Amino acid sequence: MARSSRLALLALALAAPAAAQERAVPYWASIAAGQAAMRAGPDRTYPVTWIYQRRDLPLRVVQVLGPWRRVQEQDGTTGWMLSMLLAARRTGVVRGGLQPIREAASADARTLWQAEEGVVGRLGRCDGRWCRIQIGARTGYISEDAVWGTAPGEVFR
């Protein structure tokens, strides 16, 4: 194999992991750090508009620009965060008042406990109607409509 062909293959192999890390937008992420700054633009020179101190808070990534992610919060607020402040871990915020957390993915399943609006939990799998949610040490199922952090009818494992 010619040296130029080997160099081209090496360059392609090195570029592939970086390309694989780029995801189609929009997608969901969560705050990975105990403190994360949202900025007005995609650079450290832009002013900080908000400092989040809530690890696992879900955010919707709506734009990617190098190491920066334009994110959207539950109330529609958008801003820019460094990608290193975000995790791929799926999380959700309980919405719509007090919500039952059920033993199984069914409205007929026994209620294990109730979660207040604003509580953040880690999402396991969602089947388009129900999501497995872990809040602290407790796990159960919540209606997908009662959590912000998934697209309507979204299915994932």
Side-chain angles (χ1 to χ4, degrees):
M1 182 181 283
R3 183 170 194 257
S4 61
S5 296
R6 283 188 295 229
L7 288 175
L9 285 174
L10 178 61
L12 184 61
L14 292 175
Q21 290 176 356
E22 295 298 323
R23 300 171 67 180
V25 290
Y27 66 89
W28 294 93
S30 59
I31 295 178
Q35 194 173 69
M38 178 186 278
R39 294 184 177 272
D43 193 90
R44 290 182 192 262
T45 60
Y46 285 92
V48 172
T49 56
W50 195 258
I51 295 179
Y52 293 89
Q53 296 183 2
R54 194 167 186 185
R55 185 183 173 102
D56 284 346
L57 187 71
L59 296 169
R60 188 168 180 244
V61 176
V62 296
Q63 187 177 353
V64 173
L65 186 61
W68 292 90
R69 303 295 180 263
R70 185 168 181 226
V71 296
Q72 181 181 34
E73 193 187 314
Q74 183 178 3
D75 68 1
T77 300
T78 62
W80 293 86
M81 282 189 179
L82 278 168
S83 61
M84 68 184 186
L85 299 174
L86 301 173
R89 178 176 43 252
R90 294 298 298 264
T91 62
V93 176
V94 176
R95 64 180 177 180
L98 202 59
Q99 295 294 332
I101 307 301
R102 304 209 178 258
E103 187 173 44
S106 167
D108 297 330
R110 181 171 67 98
T111 297
L112 299 172
W113 80 92
Q114 305 247 0
E116 291 186 23
E117 184 169 351
V119 168
V120 176
R122 293 186 178 188
L123 300 178
R125 59 187 175 274
C126 290
D127 65 10
R129 293 185 27 203
W130 292 90
C131 292
R132 185 168 175 85
I133 190 166
Q134 178 184 351
I135 300 171
R138 301 173 86 179
T139 302
Y141 290 86
I142 188 168
S143 170
E144 197 169 326
D145 294 337
V147 67
W148 189 84
T150 66
E154 183 180 6
V155 175
F156 64 88
R157 297 211 174 267

